[in-house]
Amino acid sequence: MHPSLASQHTLPGDDPWTVAIIGSGPRGLSVLERMAVRLAQSPPRTPVVIHLIDAVEVGCGRVWRTDQPAYLLMNTVADEISMFSGPRVPGTRGRPGAGPSLAQWWQQYATDYPGPNSYAPRALYGRYLHFVLDCVEAELPERVSLVRRRQAATRLQGDRDHGYQLELADGSVLAAHRVVLTTGHARTRLTGPAQERSEFVARRPHLRYVPAGPAAEMHLDELPGGSAVGVIGLGLTFYDVMAALTIGRGGRFTETANGSLAYRPSGDEPRLFAGSRSGLLMPGRGVNHKPPDQVYAPAIFTESRVARLKAGPRLDFVRDVFPWLRAEMDLVATVAHNRATTGPAQRETFVRAVAAEAERAFPDVASQAQQHGLSPMPAPDLDALAQPFRGHFFTDTEHFRRTLTEVIDADLREADRGNLLSPRKAALDVLRDVRWLICALVDFAALRPSSHERDFIGWYAQRSAFLVSGPPRIRLRQALALMDCGVLNVLGPDTRFSMDSAHDRFAGESMAVTGSRVLLDTVVDARVPPTDVRLDSSPLMVNLHARGVIRPYRNAWEPPDAPREEFETGGVDVSQAPYHPLSTHGETDEGICVLGIPTEHTRWFMTVGGRRPGFWSQFDQDADDVARSVLSGVRTDDPVPAHAGP
């Protein structure tokens, strides 16, 4: 045992009930908010102390820190996100269980609110999270106190029966009865090509390598203007890097007479050379035409369908699950395609007929459409959308640039039509709307290990994230303007970034574009780091993993007529709610709860940063389950309810 921990005594029974929440981003804040709701409903008879701990910024965490530039934007419209687990009460500021959405708060308490369906700067969301925290703290009942600690947690020892000792970076030790780990995105240690690039740069001080991570932490202001910068990846972080090295350098975008954007350089921009396997910039989000209080009700990929699938044997995602999801997309694409030429009653009759057929057999959406006087419109193929250049070769860089521009222009036209009128964007929106059902189906090893690894994580999760979670449309318009003026060059599909020792430079080249090779002064990794407890570099998680307190989740299955299948995901292995970690020996520590991103791949879509306003979601249920668990030892006059509503 560490010397500073060995001297700590266990918590006496009459001490304040103490809970430590490590990580104060949306997941940690959601647990605190639900704890406050429960404590208000069942006031404690003895003191309760809650420690909210964050190494970066208490109240919003690392990703939503308030000191980041305003040009770094969210990718969810402000109307669709809230951190209160219930709608606001008119005439009140906000309290645990009831408060304004991000859009409502932006309009009432902040400045420069642009109107509905707008994308807020990430720093503004951080300010909103601080507002939520202040509202929660102000309404804590008597005998409940909150302690904010801006410290990194470095070591955790103890157990449920005797309490825990949590060592912080300043050497202090905190005693707690219960601990919640909501640590969010990890800083991963470098391995493989990333480590090789780092070592290459260490011997060449004139070069720079920027590992994967949030753009706000990348120190991009150190990159010289005019230098050649390679960017690995064309997803959300790419757009952040693009904005930082253009808008952040003083450049300006202006509207032209034809409605496109033009870029006016400051002269301090680097030259950007970006690429990925697909060569396609992440598509934009469709204009939102859905009211924030609307929840899509599936007709084919329904809750009962998912329950029947899950009740059977282990599933193959492509064979057993995706066809039903694809049929739902076909249905929505057909409705969108016919929205301008048919009335609501005709479309509703068609949807009901498809739903009825789906209860009997696999539905023929196209046939039903024709029977009800609608023109069938199949949903787009996910692979074709995500990899439009696959199998194509380009004679020169200009040939590829023209083709890429055409693809982006087409995507922008669909995005401008919106998520109700564009068959493409409407169908893709289905993948957002049914995430909770997919989670219910794939969490905790409902899939065969081989299908979990190959089909779900290796294919569907990547395709849906790339096609559905895209940036605001303005980012694609900005990218086109930067391509037009030569600041941004997209190298093409199957881009390789290598180390050229002969020239003492990095190099980037698309294997599908003749003449695309370029020498680089810097390489920026703009991909999202993998979630893998085995690569997490934080002292706390390294120590917990090394001591076997936590372990990676392993999907293992022994079919009766085939060889054993096994897949270690890298996500922290946890129990069902309230998500206690499992040790290397399979023992559950019921005094610790692990929630959110560290458990990705044990559960799916743990990256969600908030909830839909006005609805009780899985995000709320997760937080409430954890809150109930960590408060189970608190003595109250009233029994702790199984579910504490807002």
Side-chain angles (χ1 to χ4, degrees):
M1 180 179 291
H2 193 277
S4 64
L5 299 183
S7 61
Q8 297 298 310
H9 299 291
T10 56
L11 291 163
D14 56 355
D15 274 7
W17 184 262
T18 304
V19 178
I21 302 175
I22 305 172
S24 69
R27 286 289 190 175
L29 195 55
S30 70
V31 171
L32 175 65
E33 194 250 10
R34 294 309 304 169
M35 290 176 67
V37 171
R38 285 182 166 275
L39 289 165
Q41 293 179 346
S42 302
R45 293 167 53 190
T46 56
V48 174
V49 179
I50 306 168
H51 294 265
L52 189 61
I53 302 164
D54 201 288
V56 177
E57 186 173 348
V58 178
C60 62
R62 178 186 174 204
V63 171
W64 309 108
R65 57 196 301 169
T66 58
D67 62 352
Q68 59 189 305
Y71 53 71
L72 298 178
L73 303 177
M74 302 181 72
N75 67 323
T76 301
V77 295
D79 309 71
E80 293 183 350
I81 195 163
S82 177
M83 273 307 302
F84 290 98
S85 54
R88 68 174 175 180
V89 176
T92 63
R93 182 168 178 263
R95 61 171 174 78
S101 68
L102 172 59
Q104 292 168 337
W105 171 85
W106 192 358
Q107 185 174 16
Q108 185 172 358
Y109 295 104
T111 58
D112 301 323
Y113 176 64
N117 296 318
S118 300
Y119 294 87
R122 291 195 194 122
L124 186 77
Y125 187 49
R127 288 172 52 198
Y128 169 72
L129 296 177
H130 276 282
F131 167 82
V132 176
L133 176 58
D134 291 342
C135 288
V136 169
E137 185 172 21
E139 297 293 328
L140 290 175
E142 188 178 356
R143 292 189 290 274
V144 179
S145 60
L146 176 69
V147 180
R148 308 185 191 199
R149 290 176 173 264
R150 186 181 176 187
Q151 285 285 333
T154 58
R155 190 177 179 89
L156 175 67
Q157 291 197 170
D159 57 47
R160 178 182 185 277
D161 296 328
H162 302 96
Y164 298 89
Q165 297 81 45
L166 178 65
E167 184 174 358
L168 305 179
D170 63 358
S172 62
V173 177
L174 168 67
H177 293 89
R178 298 290 182 266
V179 176
V180 180
L181 299 178
T182 48
T183 50
H185 287 283
R187 290 182 172 89
T188 56
R189 59 183 175 86
L190 300 183
T191 60
Q195 185 177 10
E196 293 171 4
R197 293 187 194 105
S198 181
E199 293 171 352
F200 186 73
V201 166
R203 300 188 299 271
R204 296 166 177 83
H206 60 286
L207 300 181
R208 291 173 175 82
Y209 171 57
V210 182
E217 297 179 353
M218 285 184 170
H219 303 293
L220 297 173
D221 54 340
E222 298 176 359
L223 305 186
S227 64
V229 175
V231 185
I232 308 175
L234 295 171
L236 289 174
T237 305
F238 158 76
Y239 289 108
D240 291 343
V241 171
M242 181 189 81
L245 295 176
T246 54
I247 301 172
R249 293 297 179 95
R252 293 191 300 116
F253 292 94
T254 59
E255 290 276 354
T256 66
N258 65 6
S260 63
L261 291 182
Y263 182 68
R264 295 186 178 181
S266 68
D268 193 31
E269 299 89 349
R271 293 172 296 127
L272 304 181
F273 299 89
S276 67
R277 284 175 295 179
S278 72
L280 177 66
L281 276 66
M282 191 177 197
R285 292 281 298 274
V287 173
N288 181 52
H289 291 149
K290 301 177 182 179
D293 59 351
Q294 176 181 322
V295 172
Y296 177 69
I300 301 170
F301 194 75
T302 61
E303 189 170 4
S304 60
R305 169 65 54 194
V306 166
R308 288 196 292 272
L309 286 169
K310 197 165 185 177
R314 289 284 194 108
L315 299 167
D316 181 290
F317 184 81
V318 170
R319 182 192 64 204
D320 302 323
V321 179
F322 187 70
W324 295 94
L325 181 56
R326 172 68 194 223
E328 189 77 45
M329 295 173 66
D330 289 343
L331 173 69
V332 171
T334 298
V335 169
H337 180 62
N338 291 272
R339 191 175 293 277
T341 58
T342 59
Q346 185 180 0
R347 296 193 300 271
E348 290 169 8
T349 301
F350 159 63
V351 171
R352 285 197 297 269
V354 172
E357 183 182 4
E359 287 300 308
R360 302 186 303 271
F362 189 82
D364 187 336
V365 176
S367 176
Q368 287 287 355
Q370 293 171 336
Q371 292 177 37
H372 289 83
L374 278 71
S375 300
M377 174 56 70
D381 180 84
L382 299 187
D383 287 337
L385 278 184
Q387 296 181 320
F389 313 121
R390 187 173 184 178
H392 293 264
F393 292 90
F394 301 88
T395 55
D396 54 35
T397 56
E398 179 59 25
H399 180 197
F400 175 70
R401 190 189 72 82
R402 289 196 307 269
T403 306
L404 175 61
T405 299
E406 291 170 1
V407 172
I408 295 175
D409 282 338
D411 181 71
L412 281 171
R413 288 193 295 272
E414 293 298 317
D416 287 341
R417 295 179 68 189
N419 57 7
L420 289 181
L421 294 177
S422 164
R424 177 192 299 184
K425 297 300 181 181
L428 291 175
D429 236 30
V430 170
L431 304 185
R432 294 181 66 240
D433 291 332
V434 302
R435 275 175 183 154
W436 65 282
L437 286 170
I438 298 174
C439 290
L441 191 58
V442 305
D443 288 358
F444 298 106
L447 299 177
R448 297 175 60 142
S450 57
S451 183
H452 185 190
E453 180 178 18
R454 179 191 63 240
D455 303 329
F456 189 74
I457 294 177
W459 176 69
Y460 177 79
Q462 294 183 21
R463 290 288 184 271
S464 63
F466 185 75
L467 295 171
V468 177
S469 304
R473 302 184 317 287
I474 187 65
R475 286 295 193 233
L476 280 88
R477 298 178 65 208
Q478 291 170 347
L480 288 174
L482 294 170
M483 289 165 58
D484 284 342
C485 72
V487 171
L488 171 63
N489 300 271
V490 180
L491 295 174
D494 195 15
T495 293
R496 314 272 178 92
F497 290 92
S498 60
M499 295 160 285
D500 188 331
S501 298
H503 294 90
D504 270 347
R505 306 276 293 281
F506 288 110
E509 181 180 14
S510 167
M511 300 295 103
V513 180
T514 302
S516 61
R517 180 177 171 82
V518 61
L519 295 177
L520 305 166
D521 304 299
T522 299
V523 167
V524 177
D525 194 336
R527 296 170 297 182
V528 177
T531 298
D532 193 331
V533 66
R534 298 164 297 189
L535 301 178
D536 194 324
S537 65
S538 74
L540 176 65
M541 300 302 278
V542 167
N543 183 262
L544 290 173
H545 182 228
R547 290 170 34 231
V549 178
I550 59 176
R551 68 181 185 185
Y553 178 70
R554 188 183 300 271
N555 183 351
W557 180 52
E558 294 191 20
D561 54 352
R564 173 184 171 88
E565 295 183 12
E566 192 170 296
F567 168 47
E568 190 167 88
T569 68
V572 174
D573 194 355
V574 293
S575 67
Q576 300 275 350
Y579 314 117
H580 300 307
L582 274 67
S583 72
T584 52
H585 301 295
E587 298 166 343
T588 301
D589 191 327
E590 296 184 355
I592 302 175
C593 298
V594 187
L595 185 61
I597 291 172
T599 66
E600 183 70 26
H601 305 320
T602 305
R603 307 173 67 205
W604 182 57
F605 202 63
M606 294 292 97
T607 55
V608 60
R611 57 183 299 280
R612 287 286 295 270
F615 299 96
W616 185 262
S617 67
Q618 188 61 50
F619 185 86
D620 300 300
Q621 190 62 57
D622 285 350
D624 195 61
D625 287 336
V626 172
R628 181 180 182 224
S629 175
V630 298
L631 293 175
S632 60
V634 176
R635 287 177 287 176
T636 65
D637 292 322
D638 302 314
V640 178
H643 166 73

